Amino acid sequence: MNPGMNLETPSILMESADVEATYQAFVTNGIKANPVMDLGFMKVFNFCDEEENYFAVREVIKEGDYHGKSTRNLYRHQRQWKRSG
């Protein structure tokens, strides 16, 4: 992790269908980003802008794209977050 990056609650949580490719695109374009973390039920990475504001990108799985228990858990968590947000 980048010790200079603000790791407080993210200002914006974005979603990506391919979080690994999104991470690579950010790094390729010079954006300071922490590595992708696999939390077991989703993958996520964070990055900051030039003013050290913190943002996060999480993986999103479409409802029909089940590939096992961890993906089903991810979709269940996504539904819960949408209801609570």
Side-chain angles (χ1 to χ4, degrees):
M1 297 201 107
N2 181 342
M5 187 179 290
N6 180 356
L7 297 177
E8 295 176 11
T9 304
S11 302
I12 297 175
L13 175 60
M14 294 175 251
E15 299 176 335
S16 171
D18 187 345
V19 77
E20 299 281 350
T22 302
Y23 170 78
Q24 287 302 321
F26 278 38
V27 171
T28 299
N29 286 293
I31 298 171
K32 283 195 310 190
N34 286 315
V36 174
M37 295 184 302
D38 188 340
L39 303 177
F41 61 93
M42 80 170 159
K43 292 181 181 178
V44 63
F45 75 92
N46 55 52
F47 66 97
C48 65
D49 63 13
E50 291 137 358
E51 297 174 356
E52 299 295 318
N53 296 308
Y54 165 67
F55 303 91
V57 180
R58 70 180 175 122
E59 183 177 58
V60 177
I61 305 297
K62 294 185 294 184
E63 186 169 356
D65 291 346
Y66 293 130
H67 299 291
K69 184 178 179 181
S70 63
T71 305
R72 285 191 296 276
N73 287 339
L74 170 61
Y75 185 67
R76 181 175 49 83
H77 286 290
Q78 288 173 347
R79 286 192 314 244
Q80 290 171 348
W81 290 325
K82 287 181 182 179
R83 277 188 246 133
S84 66

